[in-house]
Amino acid sequence: MKKLVNEPKAFVAEMLEGIALANEKTLKYVPEYNLIMRADAPNTNKVSVLQGSGSGHEPAHVLLVGKGMLDGACPGDVFAAPPVDYVLESTKLLASPKGVLHIVNNYTGDRMAFDMARELAEAEGLKVATLMVDDDVAVKDSTHTVGRRGVAGNFFVIKAVGAAAEQGRKLEELVELGQRVNGVTRTMGIALTSCTPPAKGSPLFELGDGEMEVGVGIHGEPGRKRKAVEPANAIADELLDAVVEDLPFKKGDKVALMVNGLGGTPIAELYVVYGHAHTRLTQAGIKVERSYVGEYCTSLDMAGCSITLVRLDDELTSLLDAPGEMGMRIL
Amino acid sequence: MKKLVNEPKAFVAEMLEGIALANEKTLKYVPEYNLIMRADAPNTNKVSVLQGSGSGHEPAHVLLVGKGMLDGACPGDVFAAPPVDYVLESTKLLASPKGVLHIVNNYTGDRMAFDMARELAEAEGLKVATLMVDDDVAVKDSTHTVGRRGVAGNFFVIKAVGAAAEQGRKLEELVELGQRVNGVTRTMGIALTSCTPPAKGSPLFELGDGEMEVGVGIHGEPGRKRKAVEPANAIADELLDAVVEDLPFKKGDKVALMVNGLGGTPIAELYVVYGHAHTRLTQAGIKVERSYVGEYCTSLDMAGCSITLVRLDDELTSLLDAPGEMGMRIL
C-alpha cells in the first residue's frame, strides 16, 4: 500500500485535524463526533444543514462545509456510516430554532443512523427534517442500498439548499427544494481501477488489467457490467447515454454538466471526457450552462470518473451561482 | 495503461478543447499554438503574463489562466517544452504596449524556447521580459536542468505577479516582484509511484513496491535519494526540514504553506500531511498565515506530494488575497 498515512486507524481523525488547521478561522473540529462545522454555526436565523456518510469521498462531505453550503459534516470511518451518536450530537450542536436539515445519501447504513438520530433529536424537542439524495442511475438496488445510490450529484443538492438556507428559507421549503434538485439530477460513474482503504491495505475489489467497471458505486460496489477498457470518448458516450436517457434530458434543456474524478485520475483526463460530453450535448440541442470539472465525490484512490447532469431553471441556476465557501479552495 | 484518453497523440489538444468548452465565456483556445488565453486579452492597460512549460502538470499552467492570474499559457506536449513558434505567436497575440512577461520554470528546454521567442519578438518591436522560477530545493542540477527546477511554488509567483499586473504595475516592477516571490519560496516533493505518459503507455521510471523517491522532479527526474516508504508524518518531516533549512525559514516568520498533490494521491491524504506540517511549523514558532491544499502542479497520475513554503510580508499577503480567477473552479 503506497499512501500518505500513518496509523491507518487514525487516518480519518488526522485528515479532519488537517482540514481544521487549514481553515482555522472558518471551521471548527469536534473530534468526539468527527464533526467539522462552521465556526460561526449555529446561526439561529437560518436552518442548519448537516450531512454524514462515510469518509473516503473527499471533498464530500467534510470539505463542503462553509457559508452557503453545509453547516456541518460528521463522517464515519472510511466507507462506513457515522454512528448514531455522532449524528445526534452534531444535530444538537447545530440546533437552530429554524430547524436542522439532514442531507442523507441513500445508503442503508446512513439512513439508519440518520433516522435514529432524528427520532432521538425530536424526542429532545429539536426540529429535524431529512432529505434523501439518490442520483446514481447505474443500478436500481445495490449491495449497500435499497433504491438508487447517492453519489456526486449530492454536490448540487448541497449547493442549492445551502444557498437557500442562507437566504433564510424554512425547513419545509428546503426539503421541497432539495427534492426538486435531486429529481432533476442524474449521475453514472466508471472505475478503471479499484481503491485501497488504508485499514485494509489492499484493493477493495479486483479489476483485471484490461477491465473497467461501468456504473461502479463510490464504495466499489458493482455497477451494470464489467467490460474491456475503452477510449475516453466511448466511456463518455456510455455514461452520458445512461444519464440522458434516464430523466430523460431533452432538446432545449439547459443543464449543468459535471465530470467528477474518483480520486486517482488526473484532471487533464477529466477535461478530455468533459470536452466530448459537452460537444455531444450541444449536438443533441442540450445547452450546457454551467460546468464543473474536478473532484467532488471520490472513492479514495480509485481511477475513473462520473458524469452528472442537472436540468436547470432560473431559480436553480441562481442558487448555483450564489456565493459559497468550502473548506477546500484553490485560490 | 488505464487512462481516460483517446488517441494518445491527441491528448493535449483534447484536454485544451475541454478546458475551453468548460470556460466558454472567459477563455479562448488557439489550437495552432496550444494557447489558452483570457477571452478579454490583451488588455492594453496592463502587462500580459504568459507561461509555457510542458503539459501533464495541470492545473499548471493552462488552468491558471484568468483575471488576476496568467493572461495565457501555451504548453508543449506532455512533459515537453513548447516549440519556439508557440511562444512567439502567443506573445504576439498577447502583445500590450505595457509589455509581455514570460514566466518560465527553470528547465533547459523551456528556457531555450522562451529565450529564442523573446529575441524574435523583440526583433519585431515587442517589449518582453523573462522571470525565472526555481523553487525546488531537492537538487542543485538535474537531468533536465542547470540550476534548480521550477515546481509548485510557481503558483505563488503567478498569483502575486498576476494580481500586481492587474493593478497596472510596470513590466520591470513585475520582474522585480516575481524575483522577490521566487526568492522566498521553497518546495520539495516525494513520489510514491511513477507516472505514465499517454503516448508512452508505460511508467516513465521504475519505483519498487516498497520504495519512494525523495526530492523527485515533476517529470519523474531523480531527486536526492530513494528509500523505503515511510509513514506520512516522517515524509512530511523530511520534506519540511529540507524546505525550512534551505531559505532558512525562522522563528517569527509568517508563511503560506502548500501541500500539493502530484496527481494520483487523494486529497484526504494531503490533509494528513498538511496537518502534521502545520503543527510542526507552529511548534517551531513559524506562523502559518495562509493554507493551500490540493493539486497545483502535478505529474500526470503520479502518487505523492510536495510541500511549499513562502515567507510572507504584508504586500505579498495582500497580493495572494487579491481577487483571482482561473479555469479550474470547484464552486
PDB file of all heavy atoms in Angstrom, chain B residues 272-301:
ATOM      1  N   VAL B 272      -3.734  14.945   5.683  1.00  0.00           N
ATOM      2  CA  VAL B 272      -2.954  14.292   6.746  1.00  0.00           C
ATOM      3  C   VAL B 272      -1.557  14.917   6.792  1.00  0.00           C
ATOM      4  O   VAL B 272      -1.052  15.288   7.857  1.00  0.00           O
ATOM      5  CB  VAL B 272      -2.870  12.764   6.504  1.00  0.00           C
ATOM      6  CG1 VAL B 272      -1.885  12.120   7.485  1.00  0.00           C
ATOM      7  CG2 VAL B 272      -4.257  12.118   6.631  1.00  0.00           C
ATOM      8  N   VAL B 273      -0.941  15.059   5.639  1.00  0.00           N
ATOM      9  CA  VAL B 273       0.389  15.680   5.555  1.00  0.00           C
ATOM     10  C   VAL B 273       0.322  17.141   5.999  1.00  0.00           C
ATOM     11  O   VAL B 273       1.167  17.614   6.771  1.00  0.00           O
ATOM     12  CB  VAL B 273       0.932  15.587   4.107  1.00  0.00           C
ATOM     13  CG1 VAL B 273       2.211  16.404   3.950  1.00  0.00           C
ATOM     14  CG2 VAL B 273       1.174  14.131   3.730  1.00  0.00           C
ATOM     15  N   TYR B 274      -0.718  17.838   5.532  1.00  0.00           N
ATOM     16  CA  TYR B 274      -0.870  19.248   5.887  1.00  0.00           C
ATOM     17  C   TYR B 274      -0.929  19.436   7.408  1.00  0.00           C
ATOM     18  O   TYR B 274      -0.265  20.319   7.975  1.00  0.00           O
ATOM     19  CB  TYR B 274      -2.119  19.866   5.237  1.00  0.00           C
ATOM     20  CG  TYR B 274      -2.255  21.300   5.666  1.00  0.00           C
ATOM     21  CD1 TYR B 274      -1.622  22.310   4.947  1.00  0.00           C
ATOM     22  CD2 TYR B 274      -2.918  21.643   6.838  1.00  0.00           C
ATOM     23  CE1 TYR B 274      -1.657  23.618   5.384  1.00  0.00           C
ATOM     24  CE2 TYR B 274      -2.956  22.944   7.283  1.00  0.00           C
ATOM     25  CZ  TYR B 274      -2.334  23.925   6.553  1.00  0.00           C
ATOM     26  OH  TYR B 274      -2.357  25.216   7.001  1.00  0.00           O
ATOM     27  N   GLY B 275      -1.751  18.623   8.050  1.00  0.00           N
ATOM     28  CA  GLY B 275      -1.956  18.774   9.492  1.00  0.00           C
ATOM     29  C   GLY B 275      -0.646  18.651  10.256  1.00  0.00           C
ATOM     30  O   GLY B 275      -0.345  19.453  11.147  1.00  0.00           O
ATOM     31  N   HIS B 276       0.152  17.662   9.877  1.00  0.00           N
ATOM     32  CA  HIS B 276       1.429  17.470  10.572  1.00  0.00           C
ATOM     33  C   HIS B 276       2.380  18.627  10.285  1.00  0.00           C
ATOM     34  O   HIS B 276       3.048  19.132  11.190  1.00  0.00           O
ATOM     35  CB  HIS B 276       2.050  16.133  10.151  1.00  0.00           C
ATOM     36  CG  HIS B 276       3.291  15.802  10.908  1.00  0.00           C
ATOM     37  ND1 HIS B 276       3.276  15.459  12.249  1.00  0.00           N
ATOM     38  CD2 HIS B 276       4.598  15.778  10.536  1.00  0.00           C
ATOM     39  CE1 HIS B 276       4.510  15.234  12.665  1.00  0.00           C
ATOM     40  NE2 HIS B 276       5.336  15.422  11.638  1.00  0.00           N
ATOM     41  N   ALA B 277       2.434  19.050   9.037  1.00  0.00           N
ATOM     42  CA  ALA B 277       3.350  20.145   8.675  1.00  0.00           C
ATOM     43  C   ALA B 277       2.960  21.437   9.388  1.00  0.00           C
ATOM     44  O   ALA B 277       3.819  22.160   9.914  1.00  0.00           O
ATOM     45  CB  ALA B 277       3.345  20.347   7.158  1.00  0.00           C
ATOM     46  N   HIS B 278       1.672  21.730   9.427  1.00  0.00           N
ATOM     47  CA  HIS B 278       1.177  22.937  10.102  1.00  0.00           C
ATOM     48  C   HIS B 278       1.570  22.906  11.591  1.00  0.00           C
ATOM     49  O   HIS B 278       2.056  23.897  12.147  1.00  0.00           O
ATOM     50  CB  HIS B 278      -0.342  23.012   9.934  1.00  0.00           C
ATOM     51  CG  HIS B 278      -0.972  24.237  10.509  1.00  0.00           C
ATOM     52  ND1 HIS B 278      -1.641  25.156   9.746  1.00  0.00           N
ATOM     53  CD2 HIS B 278      -1.053  24.707  11.780  1.00  0.00           C
ATOM     54  CE1 HIS B 278      -2.096  26.133  10.505  1.00  0.00           C
ATOM     55  NE2 HIS B 278      -1.762  25.873  11.749  1.00  0.00           N
ATOM     56  N   THR B 279       1.361  21.761  12.214  1.00  0.00           N
ATOM     57  CA  THR B 279       1.665  21.616  13.636  1.00  0.00           C
ATOM     58  C   THR B 279       3.163  21.773  13.892  1.00  0.00           C
ATOM     59  O   THR B 279       3.574  22.473  14.827  1.00  0.00           O
ATOM     60  CB  THR B 279       1.173  20.238  14.132  1.00  0.00           C
ATOM     61  OG1 THR B 279      -0.235  20.148  13.880  1.00  0.00           O
ATOM     62  CG2 THR B 279       1.432  20.052  15.619  1.00  0.00           C
ATOM     63  N   ARG B 280       3.977  21.145  13.057  1.00  0.00           N
ATOM     64  CA  ARG B 280       5.431  21.261  13.198  1.00  0.00           C
ATOM     65  C   ARG B 280       5.895  22.718  13.060  1.00  0.00           C
ATOM     66  O   ARG B 280       6.746  23.186  13.823  1.00  0.00           O
ATOM     67  CB  ARG B 280       6.138  20.422  12.119  1.00  0.00           C
ATOM     68  CG  ARG B 280       6.304  18.956  12.424  1.00  0.00           C
ATOM     69  CD  ARG B 280       7.475  18.685  13.374  1.00  0.00           C
ATOM     70  NE  ARG B 280       8.663  19.452  13.049  1.00  0.00           N
ATOM     71  CZ  ARG B 280       9.591  19.104  12.152  1.00  0.00           C
ATOM     72  NH1 ARG B 280       9.471  17.964  11.495  1.00  0.00           N
ATOM     73  NH2 ARG B 280      10.628  19.881  11.920  1.00  0.00           N
ATOM     74  N   LEU B 281       5.355  23.422  12.084  1.00  0.00           N
ATOM     75  CA  LEU B 281       5.744  24.822  11.890  1.00  0.00           C
ATOM     76  C   LEU B 281       5.341  25.664  13.095  1.00  0.00           C
ATOM     77  O   LEU B 281       6.111  26.497  13.582  1.00  0.00           O
ATOM     78  CB  LEU B 281       5.108  25.373  10.610  1.00  0.00           C
ATOM     79  CG  LEU B 281       5.699  24.824   9.306  1.00  0.00           C
ATOM     80  CD1 LEU B 281       4.815  25.194   8.116  1.00  0.00           C
ATOM     81  CD2 LEU B 281       7.124  25.348   9.089  1.00  0.00           C
ATOM     82  N   THR B 282       4.125  25.425  13.580  1.00  0.00           N
ATOM     83  CA  THR B 282       3.643  26.169  14.743  1.00  0.00           C
ATOM     84  C   THR B 282       4.566  25.942  15.937  1.00  0.00           C
ATOM     85  O   THR B 282       4.925  26.888  16.652  1.00  0.00           O
ATOM     86  CB  THR B 282       2.200  25.738  15.079  1.00  0.00           C
ATOM     87  OG1 THR B 282       1.391  25.929  13.913  1.00  0.00           O
ATOM     88  CG2 THR B 282       1.632  26.558  16.229  1.00  0.00           C
ATOM     89  N   GLN B 283       4.960  24.681  16.123  1.00  0.00           N
ATOM     90  CA  GLN B 283       5.874  24.359  17.232  1.00  0.00           C
ATOM     91  C   GLN B 283       7.212  25.077  17.085  1.00  0.00           C
ATOM     92  O   GLN B 283       7.866  25.396  18.073  1.00  0.00           O
ATOM     93  CB  GLN B 283       6.101  22.838  17.300  1.00  0.00           C
ATOM     94  CG  GLN B 283       4.890  22.078  17.843  1.00  0.00           C
ATOM     95  CD  GLN B 283       4.961  20.573  17.573  1.00  0.00           C
ATOM     96  OE1 GLN B 283       5.838  20.111  16.838  1.00  0.00           O
ATOM     97  NE2 GLN B 283       4.035  19.824  18.155  1.00  0.00           N
ATOM     98  N   ALA B 284       7.613  25.322  15.833  1.00  0.00           N
ATOM     99  CA  ALA B 284       8.897  25.993  15.584  1.00  0.00           C
ATOM    100  C   ALA B 284       8.761  27.509  15.603  1.00  0.00           C
ATOM    101  O   ALA B 284       9.724  28.226  15.305  1.00  0.00           O
ATOM    102  CB  ALA B 284       9.464  25.530  14.243  1.00  0.00           C
ATOM    103  N   GLY B 285       7.567  28.002  15.933  1.00  0.00           N
ATOM    104  CA  GLY B 285       7.381  29.450  16.009  1.00  0.00           C
ATOM    105  C   GLY B 285       7.191  30.109  14.653  1.00  0.00           C
ATOM    106  O   GLY B 285       7.299  31.328  14.527  1.00  0.00           O
ATOM    107  N   ILE B 286       6.919  29.299  13.649  1.00  0.00           N
ATOM    108  CA  ILE B 286       6.649  29.831  12.306  1.00  0.00           C
ATOM    109  C   ILE B 286       5.129  29.830  12.115  1.00  0.00           C
ATOM    110  O   ILE B 286       4.473  28.804  12.265  1.00  0.00           O
ATOM    111  CB  ILE B 286       7.342  28.968  11.228  1.00  0.00           C
ATOM    112  CG1 ILE B 286       8.867  29.033  11.430  1.00  0.00           C
ATOM    113  CG2 ILE B 286       6.949  29.414   9.823  1.00  0.00           C
ATOM    114  CD1 ILE B 286       9.665  28.062  10.565  1.00  0.00           C
ATOM    115  N   LYS B 287       4.590  31.016  11.820  1.00  0.00           N
ATOM    116  CA  LYS B 287       3.137  31.168  11.818  1.00  0.00           C
ATOM    117  C   LYS B 287       2.577  30.912  10.410  1.00  0.00           C
ATOM    118  O   LYS B 287       2.924  31.608   9.459  1.00  0.00           O
ATOM    119  CB  LYS B 287       2.806  32.601  12.262  1.00  0.00           C
ATOM    120  CG  LYS B 287       1.347  32.983  12.210  1.00  0.00           C
ATOM    121  CD  LYS B 287       0.623  32.594  13.490  1.00  0.00           C
ATOM    122  CE  LYS B 287      -0.830  33.059  13.479  1.00  0.00           C
ATOM    123  NZ  LYS B 287      -1.708  32.173  12.748  1.00  0.00           N
ATOM    124  N   VAL B 288       1.699  29.914  10.307  1.00  0.00           N
ATOM    125  CA  VAL B 288       1.057  29.632   9.021  1.00  0.00           C
ATOM    126  C   VAL B 288      -0.118  30.596   8.847  1.00  0.00           C
ATOM    127  O   VAL B 288      -1.129  30.482   9.533  1.00  0.00           O
ATOM    128  CB  VAL B 288       0.566  28.177   8.940  1.00  0.00           C
ATOM    129  CG1 VAL B 288      -0.107  27.926   7.590  1.00  0.00           C
ATOM    130  CG2 VAL B 288       1.719  27.204   9.148  1.00  0.00           C
ATOM    131  N   GLU B 289       0.048  31.537   7.934  1.00  0.00           N
ATOM    132  CA  GLU B 289      -0.975  32.579   7.741  1.00  0.00           C
ATOM    133  C   GLU B 289      -1.951  32.220   6.621  1.00  0.00           C
ATOM    134  O   GLU B 289      -3.074  32.703   6.602  1.00  0.00           O
ATOM    135  CB  GLU B 289      -0.289  33.903   7.385  1.00  0.00           C
ATOM    136  CG  GLU B 289       0.534  34.486   8.503  1.00  0.00           C
ATOM    137  CD  GLU B 289      -0.236  35.541   9.269  1.00  0.00           C
ATOM    138  OE1 GLU B 289      -1.103  36.196   8.680  1.00  0.00           O
ATOM    139  OE2 GLU B 289       0.042  35.709  10.471  1.00  0.00           O
ATOM    140  N   ARG B 290      -1.487  31.464   5.649  1.00  0.00           N
ATOM    141  CA  ARG B 290      -2.343  31.071   4.520  1.00  0.00           C
ATOM    142  C   ARG B 290      -2.083  29.611   4.185  1.00  0.00           C
ATOM    143  O   ARG B 290      -0.926  29.173   4.227  1.00  0.00           O
ATOM    144  CB  ARG B 290      -2.064  31.933   3.280  1.00  0.00           C
ATOM    145  CG  ARG B 290      -2.408  33.418   3.441  1.00  0.00           C
ATOM    146  CD  ARG B 290      -3.913  33.643   3.554  1.00  0.00           C
ATOM    147  NE  ARG B 290      -4.233  35.050   3.680  1.00  0.00           N
ATOM    148  CZ  ARG B 290      -4.248  35.741   4.830  1.00  0.00           C
ATOM    149  NH1 ARG B 290      -3.938  35.137   5.968  1.00  0.00           N
ATOM    150  NH2 ARG B 290      -4.588  37.019   4.828  1.00  0.00           N
ATOM    151  N   SER B 291      -3.161  28.886   3.818  1.00  0.00           N
ATOM    152  CA  SER B 291      -3.067  27.440   3.579  1.00  0.00           C
ATOM    153  C   SER B 291      -3.536  27.089   2.174  1.00  0.00           C
ATOM    154  O   SER B 291      -4.564  27.602   1.721  1.00  0.00           O
ATOM    155  CB  SER B 291      -3.961  26.702   4.579  1.00  0.00           C
ATOM    156  OG  SER B 291      -3.616  27.074   5.894  1.00  0.00           O
ATOM    157  N   TYR B 292      -2.810  26.223   1.533  1.00  0.00           N
ATOM    158  CA  TYR B 292      -3.140  25.760   0.183  1.00  0.00           C
ATOM    159  C   TYR B 292      -2.983  24.249   0.155  1.00  0.00           C
ATOM    160  O   TYR B 292      -1.876  23.746   0.312  1.00  0.00           O
ATOM    161  CB  TYR B 292      -2.205  26.408  -0.842  1.00  0.00           C
ATOM    162  CG  TYR B 292      -2.314  27.923  -0.898  1.00  0.00           C
ATOM    163  CD1 TYR B 292      -1.666  28.728   0.037  1.00  0.00           C
ATOM    164  CD2 TYR B 292      -3.087  28.541  -1.872  1.00  0.00           C
ATOM    165  CE1 TYR B 292      -1.786  30.111   0.001  1.00  0.00           C
ATOM    166  CE2 TYR B 292      -3.213  29.924  -1.922  1.00  0.00           C
ATOM    167  CZ  TYR B 292      -2.559  30.704  -0.982  1.00  0.00           C
ATOM    168  OH  TYR B 292      -2.686  32.068  -1.027  1.00  0.00           O
ATOM    169  N   VAL B 293      -4.084  23.538  -0.020  1.00  0.00           N
ATOM    170  CA  VAL B 293      -4.040  22.072  -0.047  1.00  0.00           C
ATOM    171  C   VAL B 293      -4.801  21.600  -1.277  1.00  0.00           C
ATOM    172  O   VAL B 293      -5.984  21.929  -1.441  1.00  0.00           O
ATOM    173  CB  VAL B 293      -4.688  21.467   1.220  1.00  0.00           C
ATOM    174  CG1 VAL B 293      -4.464  19.959   1.262  1.00  0.00           C
ATOM    175  CG2 VAL B 293      -4.151  22.125   2.489  1.00  0.00           C
ATOM    176  N   GLY B 294      -4.157  20.858  -2.130  1.00  0.00           N
ATOM    177  CA  GLY B 294      -4.832  20.356  -3.326  1.00  0.00           C
ATOM    178  C   GLY B 294      -3.835  20.159  -4.440  1.00  0.00           C
ATOM    179  O   GLY B 294      -2.634  20.037  -4.205  1.00  0.00           O
ATOM    180  N   GLU B 295      -4.337  20.118  -5.664  1.00  0.00           N
ATOM    181  CA  GLU B 295      -3.452  19.916  -6.808  1.00  0.00           C
ATOM    182  C   GLU B 295      -3.151  21.252  -7.472  1.00  0.00           C
ATOM    183  O   GLU B 295      -4.063  21.967  -7.896  1.00  0.00           O
ATOM    184  CB  GLU B 295      -4.084  18.941  -7.787  1.00  0.00           C
ATOM    185  CG  GLU B 295      -4.196  17.543  -7.167  1.00  0.00           C
ATOM    186  CD  GLU B 295      -4.781  16.514  -8.099  1.00  0.00           C
ATOM    187  OE1 GLU B 295      -5.377  16.896  -9.124  1.00  0.00           O
ATOM    188  OE2 GLU B 295      -4.670  15.310  -7.783  1.00  0.00           O
ATOM    189  N   TYR B 296      -1.873  21.588  -7.540  1.00  0.00           N
ATOM    190  CA  TYR B 296      -1.423  22.841  -8.144  1.00  0.00           C
ATOM    191  C   TYR B 296      -0.454  22.580  -9.290  1.00  0.00           C
ATOM    192  O   TYR B 296      -0.481  23.255 -10.298  1.00  0.00           O
ATOM    193  CB  TYR B 296      -0.766  23.735  -7.088  1.00  0.00           C
ATOM    194  CG  TYR B 296      -1.766  24.270  -6.092  1.00  0.00           C
ATOM    195  CD1 TYR B 296      -2.113  23.559  -4.948  1.00  0.00           C
ATOM    196  CD2 TYR B 296      -2.406  25.479  -6.328  1.00  0.00           C
ATOM    197  CE1 TYR B 296      -3.060  24.042  -4.055  1.00  0.00           C
ATOM    198  CE2 TYR B 296      -3.345  25.976  -5.441  1.00  0.00           C
ATOM    199  CZ  TYR B 296      -3.673  25.249  -4.306  1.00  0.00           C
ATOM    200  OH  TYR B 296      -4.612  25.729  -3.435  1.00  0.00           O
ATOM    201  N   CYS B 297       0.425  21.607  -9.101  1.00  0.00           N
ATOM    202  CA  CYS B 297       1.407  21.274 -10.137  1.00  0.00           C
ATOM    203  C   CYS B 297       1.627  19.767 -10.052  1.00  0.00           C
ATOM    204  O   CYS B 297       2.250  19.285  -9.107  1.00  0.00           O
ATOM    205  CB  CYS B 297       2.705  22.047  -9.887  1.00  0.00           C
ATOM    206  SG  CYS B 297       3.921  21.810 -11.188  1.00  0.00           S
ATOM    207  N   THR B 298       1.079  19.052 -11.023  1.00  0.00           N
ATOM    208  CA  THR B 298       1.043  17.595 -10.951  1.00  0.00           C
ATOM    209  C   THR B 298       2.013  16.964 -11.943  1.00  0.00           C
ATOM    210  O   THR B 298       2.620  17.638 -12.771  1.00  0.00           O
ATOM    211  CB  THR B 298      -0.386  17.087 -11.239  1.00  0.00           C
ATOM    212  OG1 THR B 298      -0.750  17.493 -12.566  1.00  0.00           O
ATOM    213  CG2 THR B 298      -1.380  17.666 -10.250  1.00  0.00           C
ATOM    214  N   SER B 299       2.157  15.667 -11.837  1.00  0.00           N
ATOM    215  CA  SER B 299       2.981  14.865 -12.748  1.00  0.00           C
ATOM    216  C   SER B 299       2.108  13.727 -13.245  1.00  0.00           C
ATOM    217  O   SER B 299       2.290  12.574 -12.844  1.00  0.00           O
ATOM    218  CB  SER B 299       4.192  14.311 -12.014  1.00  0.00           C
ATOM    219  OG  SER B 299       4.942  15.349 -11.442  1.00  0.00           O
ATOM    220  N   LEU B 300       1.133  14.066 -14.088  1.00  0.00           N
ATOM    221  CA  LEU B 300       0.180  13.085 -14.596  1.00  0.00           C
ATOM    222  C   LEU B 300      -0.469  12.341 -13.432  1.00  0.00           C
ATOM    223  O   LEU B 300      -1.058  12.983 -12.569  1.00  0.00           O
ATOM    224  CB  LEU B 300       0.878  12.135 -15.577  1.00  0.00           C
ATOM    225  CG  LEU B 300       1.403  12.810 -16.869  1.00  0.00           C
ATOM    226  CD1 LEU B 300       2.358  11.894 -17.616  1.00  0.00           C
ATOM    227  CD2 LEU B 300       0.244  13.221 -17.776  1.00  0.00           C
ATOM    228  N   ASP B 301      -0.324  11.008 -13.388  1.00  0.00           N
ATOM    229  CA  ASP B 301      -1.002  10.205 -12.368  1.00  0.00           C
ATOM    230  C   ASP B 301      -0.065   9.788 -11.243  1.00  0.00           C
ATOM    231  O   ASP B 301      -0.338   8.811 -10.535  1.00  0.00           O
ATOM    232  CB  ASP B 301      -1.633   8.964 -13.023  1.00  0.00           C
ATOM    233  CG  ASP B 301      -0.604   8.176 -13.852  1.00  0.00           C
ATOM    234  OD1 ASP B 301       0.539   8.659 -14.008  1.00  0.00           O
ATOM    235  OD2 ASP B 301      -0.949   7.084 -14.341  1.00  0.00           O
TER     236      ASP B 301
END
